[in-house]
Amino acid sequence: YQYPLVFGLILAFCWCSLVCCSRIYMGMHSILDVIAGFLYAILILVVFHPFVDLIDNFNLTYKYAPLIIISLHLALGIFSFTLDTWSTSRGDTAQILGCGAGVACGSHVNYVMGLKLDPPPDTLPLSLSSLTVTVLGKAMLRLLIGVIVLLLTKVTMKKATIPLACKIFRIPHDDVRKARQRMEVELPYRYITYGMVGFSLMFIVPCLFHFIGLS
């Protein structure tokens, strides 16, 4: 959508500030951690921005892209963490990696199946339409249905993956909270659960909207 640059900058600044402050407030990171992370994010943006279209084209068109994406994200989750004590950072990272892999795979499936869920590039940028009762109601209905589907996906996968991982690795699951802190359970549970959430976000939910006429 075409929107004022000032509005975009204010929104980006507010969102970034909320994320950074929440990390400090929750005791997850120090101020120096947040500053280093912010600078590192800028470095990543500068390095990868020129290759975004190339990477996106690979994710969409290459036949074995989903296999490579899943393998790469899974390997990052497994080999990035060797912790002496349990930390939420391992699960959070696996959650982010899983969601990213699910989104990429969902986009690939959309492309392979020829689903035109996005407007044609030559029509972009879109102009903001006037806010009417119909537009607002449709947006709220999309939000409600989308959130319900994603929550159902999360709950279903969580209930399936934790007992399965415990059974495979022979870990007692009487205390689910304690079992989830084991890497053998936490990584598969987070990765698979949020991978399916990401896949649903990009493929299942848009297809559902298209089917019921909410696209």
Side-chain angles (χ1 to χ4, degrees):
Y1 288 94
Q2 185 67 46
Y3 53 86
L5 176 62
V6 175
F7 174 76
L9 291 176
I10 292 175
L11 182 62
F13 175 78
C14 292
W15 182 259
C16 183
S17 300
L18 287 172
V19 172
C20 293
C21 291
S22 71
R23 297 290 85 192
I24 298 172
Y25 175 76
M26 295 296 292
M28 301 299 297
H29 297 286
S30 66
I31 295 178
L32 288 178
D33 289 338
V34 171
I35 294 174
F38 178 77
L39 296 176
Y40 187 51
I42 294 177
L43 176 62
I44 293 175
L45 180 63
V46 171
V47 172
F48 280 96
H49 186 267
F51 304 101
V52 167
D53 289 337
L54 181 64
I55 295 172
D56 189 50
N57 185 66
F58 171 82
N59 287 343
L60 294 177
T61 61
Y62 187 60
K63 182 178 180 180
Y64 299 106
L67 181 61
I68 296 174
I69 292 167
I70 293 173
S71 300
L72 178 61
H73 284 71
L74 190 58
L76 287 171
I78 293 174
F79 296 111
S80 294
F81 289 98
T82 304
L83 304 175
D84 296 329
T85 58
W86 178 79
S87 170
T88 58
S89 60
R90 181 172 62 194
D92 292 341
T93 302
Q95 181 173 316
I96 294 169
L97 290 171
C99 192
V103 166
C105 290
S107 299
H108 178 83
V109 172
N110 286 335
Y111 179 84
V112 170
M113 295 185 65
L115 300 177
K116 304 294 185 181
L117 300 176
D118 294 325
D122 57 351
T123 64
L124 301 177
L126 302 175
S127 299
L128 291 173
S129 59
S130 57
L131 187 62
T132 63
V133 175
T134 302
V135 171
L136 182 61
K138 191 174 181 180
M140 295 301 296
L141 187 59
R142 282 169 56 93
L143 177 63
L144 178 62
I145 295 174
V147 168
I148 290 174
V149 172
L150 295 181
L151 285 177
L152 288 175
T153 302
K154 176 186 173 182
V155 170
T156 302
M157 296 307 301
K158 180 179 178 180
K159 288 186 176 296
T161 52
I162 293 179
L164 180 61
C166 289
K167 185 175 182 180
I168 292 175
F169 295 103
R170 299 178 181 178
I171 296 174
H173 60 277
D174 299 333
D175 188 347
V176 176
R177 183 188 181 95
K178 186 175 181 180
R180 283 175 51 183
Q181 295 181 1
R182 296 283 296 271
M183 186 182 75
E184 301 92 330
V185 176
E186 185 175 38
L187 290 184
Y189 146 61
R190 295 269 193 160
Y191 190 87
I192 296 174
T193 298
Y194 289 93
M196 282 304 302
V197 169
F199 184 80
S200 298
L201 179 69
M202 291 302 295
F203 176 69
I204 296 177
V205 172
C207 286
L208 177 61
F209 288 161
H210 181 74
F211 180 75
I212 62 179
L214 280 178
S215 297

